[in-house]
Amino acid sequence: MKKSDPKKIISVFGGREADEAQLTDAERIGKAIAEHGWVLLCGGRGGIMEAVSKGCSEAGGLSIGILPGDDRKDANPHIQVPIATGIGLARNAVIARAGDAAVAIGGKYGTLSEIAYALQFGKPVFVLGSWDIPGTIKADTAEELLLLLSRSLKNRE
């Protein structure tokens, strides 16, 4: 029996604090992740993480949350697979490493660390209203980001 290719995993980075436009963009990106048949991986808590997982789960996709603490109940209500790590911010490296590509929306220093890890791991990182760092791929809209992400994943097949 031939093993099928695994689904692409998209790591999404973003802060607990976000404005309405960022939350709307995150939800739209989560929905597109599901519609493409990709898997969402994020920090599993609030803000951008909750918005992207809401969009993904409402569109029938799979959302996985890598939590910093010991309790799976700390996940937002849209995370289908909560993974309690108990490793605090070190979980950022896991989120960055496990994805085939990464998306950063807004965010502060936690998001910055995830971007840095993803770049060190050689992952393509797409940013929307987030840190302007050499090596990342900047988009001005959620639609542009999704187009660039989709093209990148197709080129890596």
Side-chain angles (χ1 to χ4, degrees), residues 24-45:
T24 298
D25 285 339
E27 195 169 328
R28 184 177 299 130
I29 289 167
K31 179 180 179 186
I33 287 171
E35 290 171 347
H36 279 91
W38 302 330
V39 174
L40 168 66
L41 182 67
C42 69
R45 310 259 332 253

Side-chain angles (χ1 to χ4, degrees), residues 2-63:
K2 184 180 177 192
K3 184 177 178 181
S4 63
D5 289 334
K7 291 184 176 188
K8 297 292 185 193
I9 298 172
I10 310 302
S11 298
V12 176
F13 314 144
R16 291 180 303 271
E17 297 175 16
D19 63 32
E20 284 303 312
Q22 290 172 323
L23 295 172
T24 298
D25 285 339
E27 195 169 328
R28 184 177 299 130
I29 289 167
K31 179 180 179 186
I33 287 171
E35 290 171 347
H36 279 91
W38 302 330
V39 174
L40 168 66
L41 182 67
C42 69
R45 310 259 332 253
I48 294 297
M49 298 168 281
E50 184 168 358
V52 73
S53 58
K54 178 182 181 196
C56 182
S57 65
E58 287 183 354
L62 177 61
S63 59

